[in-house]
């Protein structure tokens, strides 16, 4: 294993000149002899969600309620779905998703807990 101190690498040429030492090597080599090195622009941080690579965009709400901001964000995301590269998709997660899920559960719960209706696990029946 070879390591060059960060202060000693000021250019791509410095990195390519990093000596490579191996116990079985008969003569010393440099990194440029065994690897291709080039500059590229890449994401600084790569996150994963359920094993899929994701780009997280964080936002905060100030001066407006979460529901109103969520509707605006959803409208913007939906209007741009067609311009995503093939195989890419956008999912809105976080507090907005939690809020929507909890309201959906409350709505369904209130629907089935009215007088005359009963919900029993996976079976729904009307009481006479």
């Amino acid at each position: 294993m070879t390591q060059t101190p960060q202060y000693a690498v000021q250019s791509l040429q410095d990195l390519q000149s990093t000596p490579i030492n191996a116990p079985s090597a008969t003569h010393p080599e440099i990194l440029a002899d065994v690897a291709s090195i080039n500059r590229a622009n890449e994401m600084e941080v790569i996150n994963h969600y359920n094993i899929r690579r994701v780009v997280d965009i964080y936002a905060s709400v100030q001066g407006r309620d979460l529901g109103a901001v969520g509707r605006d964000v959803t409208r913007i995301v939906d209007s741009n779905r067609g311009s995503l590269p093939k195989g890419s998709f956008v999912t809105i997660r976080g507090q907005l998703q939690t809020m929507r899920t909890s309201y959906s559960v409350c709505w369904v719960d209130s629907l089935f807990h009215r007088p005359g209706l009963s919900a029993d696990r996976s079976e729904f029946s009307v009481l006479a």
Side-chain angles (χ1 to χ4, degrees):
M1 180 172 158
T2 301
Q3 185 174 0
T4 301
Q6 190 171 2
Y7 64 83
V9 180
Q10 300 297 319
S11 68
L12 188 60
Q13 181 64 38
D14 291 343
L15 184 61
Q16 290 173 328
S17 299
T18 300
I20 304 284
N21 297 323
S24 60
T26 57
H27 56 82
E29 295 187 73
I30 59 172
L31 186 58
D33 291 340
V34 296
S36 298
I37 303 171
N38 56 9
R39 292 184 187 270
N41 292 324
E42 292 291 328
M43 292 188 298
E44 188 173 321
V45 176
I46 298 174
N47 294 316
H48 291 85
Y49 181 76
N50 288 340
I51 73 166
R52 289 185 158 252
R53 185 172 161 177
V54 297
V55 176
D56 290 323
I57 300 172
Y58 297 95
S60 295
V61 176
Q62 183 175 346
R64 293 180 65 198
D65 65 284
L66 180 60
V69 172
R71 284 188 296 275
D72 291 347
V73 169
T74 300
R75 187 171 67 275
I76 292 167
V77 166
D78 288 344
S79 69
N80 289 287
R81 284 189 195 276
S83 61
L84 290 171
K86 187 177 181 178
S88 298
F89 57 93
V90 176
T91 303
I92 299 173
R93 295 183 286 129
Q95 289 181 334
L96 182 63
Q97 180 186 32
T98 303
M99 181 188 75
R100 287 179 175 165
T101 302
S102 66
Y103 282 130
S104 297
V105 169
C106 288
W107 182 82
V108 169
D109 190 47
S110 67
L111 178 68
F112 290 108
H113 285 91
R114 292 186 178 170
L117 292 178
S118 171
D120 182 21
R121 295 191 189 186
S122 63
E123 191 174 290
F124 300 100
S125 57
V126 178
L127 299 176

